[in-house]
Amino acid sequence: MSLMKTLVCVEPGRFELTERPRPEAKPGHVRVRIGHIGICGTDYHIYGGHQPFLAYPRVMGHELSGRAVDALADGRIAAGDLVVINPYLTCGRCHACQIGKPNCCENIAVLGVHTDGGMCQEIVVPEANIYPAQGLSEQAAAMVEFLAIGAHGVRRAQMQPGSRALIVGAGPIGIGAALFATIDGAEVTLRDTSASRLELARKVLPEARFELVGEAAPGAYETVFDATGNIHAMNGGLQWVAHGGAYVLLSVVKGDLVFADPEFHKRECTLIASRNALRADFEHVIAMMRAGRVPVDALATHGTSFEDAVTNLPLWAEDRGTLIKAIIRV
C-alpha cells in the first residue's frame, strides 16, 4: 500500500505530521497532487478545539491548489494542469442544489471540516469540484477559495458603482470582501478593533478608508458587510446601514441575531446571509487574479514548508493579528 505524508490534528492542541494511505480512485473523481494550502481561521479553530461538532482526528485544509493527476472527461483539464479545488461537497438532490445554490446545500460536507481535507500530498475529489487555474501561481491559486467567500457576499449585495460600502472586520474574509467591493466600483471603508490589522489591510487596499472601532465617524452606508465572527458586532451593525440599504452577514456564529424592529423596518433594510461561494465566484476571483486586480503578494504574508507547519500553525493560531494569509508549501 502506497503511503503519503499527511498533517493531522489528532485532538485539540495536538498537530502532527504522519503517513496515511494514498486515497483510492473513484468513478467521476479526479486525483490532485496538492501543491499549496492556505490556512483558514477554521483551521486555527479546529486546532484550538473551538469546533464542537468536529470529529477528531481530522485532516484539515480546504484552501487548496495543486496539479491534476488525471484528465477530465470533458477536456477542461489535462493531467499536469494547475487547478483550484472547490471544497464544498454537495448532494445534488436537495432544494438548494436543485435551484443552483449548492453553496448552501442541506447536506453539505466541507473538506477539512466535515470530512478529511487537503493537508496531504494527494486528494481525490469529484470532477465538478475542480477548476482550471492556468495563468496563476500555485500560491495564488491556494488563495482563490477564501477570496471567493468575500466575492460571493459582494455579488449577493448587488451594489451600484459609486455606492458606499462598510466592511466591519479586517480579517482575511473582510479584506476579500473589501477588495471585491472595490473592484465593483464601491467606495470602501474597512473597520476593525485592531490598528495592526488595519495596517496589514492598507497594503492590500491603499485606496480604501480605514477606521478603528470606537473612533469611527458617524455615517450611513448603502451596504454594510459584517466579517467579524462576533455576535455583538453583528447585532450592532444595523446602525450603520443607510435607509434603503442592505446588511450582509459573512460571519457565521453561534448566537441569536437581535436588533430592534423599528430600526430595521424604518430603513426598509435588506438582510442578506452569505454562505460559502459558487463556481461563478471562484471563476470571478481567478479572472481578477489573471487581470492583476488582486495583490496576491500582499495577501500572502506568511509561508511554511509541510514539515515546519507542525511548529508554525500553532504559533500563528496564537498570534493571528500579525498575518493575513499563511500558506503551506507541500
Side-chain angles (χ1 to χ4, degrees), residues 51-228:
Q51 291 281 340
F53 303 113
L54 183 129
Y56 295 89
R58 174 62 71 223
V59 179
M60 300 183 293
H62 62 270
E63 300 179 6
L64 308 169
S65 71
R67 299 281 172 178
V69 177
D70 310 314
L72 268 64
D74 62 8
R76 285 188 300 117
I77 293 169
D81 283 354
L82 177 64
V83 298
V84 169
I85 296 175
N86 179 334
Y88 319 130
L89 307 181
T90 59
C91 71
R93 301 181 303 275
C94 70
H95 174 71
C97 287
Q98 291 297 312
I99 63 171
K101 293 187 175 183
N103 59 304
C104 52
C105 168
E106 295 173 23
N107 306 298
I108 200 166
V110 180
L111 291 174
V113 182
H114 306 104
T115 187
D116 281 344
M119 287 192 182
C120 54
Q121 291 180 303
E122 287 188 0
I123 193 169
V124 171
V125 293
E127 287 192 13
N129 289 68
I130 302 293
Y131 306 146
Q134 290 92 332
L136 306 186
S137 69
E138 286 195 7
Q139 177 171 279
M143 292 188 282
V144 170
E145 191 273 343
F146 96 82
L147 290 170
I149 301 290
H152 181 71
V154 169
R155 187 161 63 88
R156 297 261 294 143
Q158 297 182 327
M159 293 181 298
Q160 297 299 313
S163 65
R164 300 179 67 211
L166 172 67
I167 290 85
V168 186
I173 300 301
I175 289 173
L179 178 61
F180 281 89
T182 300
I183 287 172
D184 275 10
E187 297 178 6
V188 170
T189 298
L190 194 58
R191 186 176 296 169
D192 200 273
T193 58
S194 167
S196 62
R197 291 207 68 86
L198 290 176
E199 282 305 309
L200 285 171
R202 194 184 302 273
K203 297 176 182 178
V204 179
L205 296 151
E207 66 273 40
R209 293 183 57 196
F210 299 88
E211 298 177 345
L212 275 170
V213 172
E215 299 179 3
Y221 300 82
E222 285 90 343
T223 311
V224 175
F225 298 85
D226 180 273
T228 63

